[in-house]
Amino acid sequence: MGRSRMTDGFRLPQAIPLMEKAMEIRELVDHILEAAPEEGADLNDGTDESNKRREFEREALKDQIDEMYGASLLIPAKIAGAEGGDLYDIRMENAALIRKAARELIVGLRGLEIFGYDEQPYFNLLREQMEEFRKLFVAWVQAFDMRRFVADEWGLFNPPGVDPDSDLIGDIGGDDDDDDDDDDGPGPFGGGGDDPF
């Protein structure tokens, strides 16, 4: 699937460069993980204690690689999920998962180092790419429309001032922006008379 087809239907223009960077990061993570040391080294060339230690390190390295691979897959999937949902609460939930996965990639590099895989030039390249991704991510999150929401009963991803026990639903009607009510009065959602708070 081409990247242009992947981003068709994204509502926020900020999502397109974010997705492109996520796919670049995924490819870089693939290359880094493919170059990891092989798991098949002979364990019977030392003491039982050293063999156990090397087996532990090998398994830990494999687990770290699996976690980083999963995180690199999750990021673009959650960007697409946020764009498909186009509700503030859904976007914020996906954004939180993206942030967590992105941080796991960076922390995962340290895990690779600890368990015997150290390729600093490539690791530094991933760190640089993640910093570029972070900046694009911030711009994307700031573009979320807080007026488009369904109250999150768990209270985690509501716009400011929305009670988790309410049955409030924001402006999830048509796709057209309704700029007529924007200057009617104070409130986080504009349209003073329609302000649910």
Side-chain angles (χ1 to χ4, degrees):
M1 176 187 306
R3 287 190 184 143
S4 62
R5 278 191 49 205
M6 190 181 325
T7 58
D8 284 353
F10 279 11
R11 292 181 54 91
L12 297 177
Q14 296 86 345
I16 295 170
L18 185 71
M19 178 62 92
E20 289 171 352
K21 182 58 70 177
M23 295 307 293
E24 289 174 19
I25 288 168
R26 191 178 134 30
E27 290 172 15
L28 178 57
V29 169
D30 278 351
H31 292 304
I32 289 171
L33 299 181
E34 285 173 6
E38 292 294 318
E39 300 172 30
D42 185 13
L43 290 177
N44 295 320
D45 59 358
T47 66
D48 285 343
E49 191 62 35
S50 66
N51 287 341
K52 286 179 184 176
R53 178 182 165 89
R54 284 200 314 240
E55 178 63 24
F56 168 76
E57 288 176 354
R58 183 182 311 147
E59 286 300 315
L61 179 61
K62 181 185 180 309
D63 289 346
Q64 189 65 62
I65 288 169
D66 290 346
E67 286 179 23
M68 290 182 70
Y69 181 72
S72 74
L73 290 173
L74 183 84
I75 292 171
K78 293 302 174 184
I79 294 169
E83 286 300 306
D86 193 34
L87 292 172
Y88 181 79
D89 48 311
I90 300 296
R91 285 183 178 278
M92 287 302 291
E93 182 175 351
N94 282 290
L97 294 171
I98 293 165
R99 177 183 178 266
K100 181 179 185 292
R103 293 178 74 182
E104 286 173 355
L105 284 176
I106 297 302
V107 171
L109 291 175
R110 183 67 183 131
L112 294 179
E113 293 167 356
I114 289 170
F115 299 118
Y117 178 35
D118 189 4
E119 291 291 334
Q120 286 306 313
Y122 298 110
F123 293 2
N124 289 338
L125 181 57
L126 180 57
R127 288 181 181 105
E128 291 167 11
Q129 292 291 309
M130 291 307 299
E131 178 58 18
E132 291 176 24
F133 179 83
R134 186 192 66 77
K135 291 175 182 176
L136 293 168
F137 177 83
V138 168
W140 177 62
V141 170
Q142 289 176 343
F144 292 176
D145 186 351
M146 286 190 284
R147 297 171 298 180
R148 295 180 58 84
F149 71 94
V150 174
D152 174 15
E153 64 187 15
W154 291 85
L156 290 177
F157 302 111
N158 286 322
V162 174
D163 181 354
D165 292 325
S166 73
D167 291 331
L168 284 178
I169 297 176
D171 180 20
I172 58 174
D175 292 338
D176 298 329
D177 289 335
D178 221 356
D179 292 332
D180 298 338
D181 294 333
D182 286 349
D183 296 323
D184 288 350
F189 305 105
D194 297 329
D195 191 343
F197 314 110

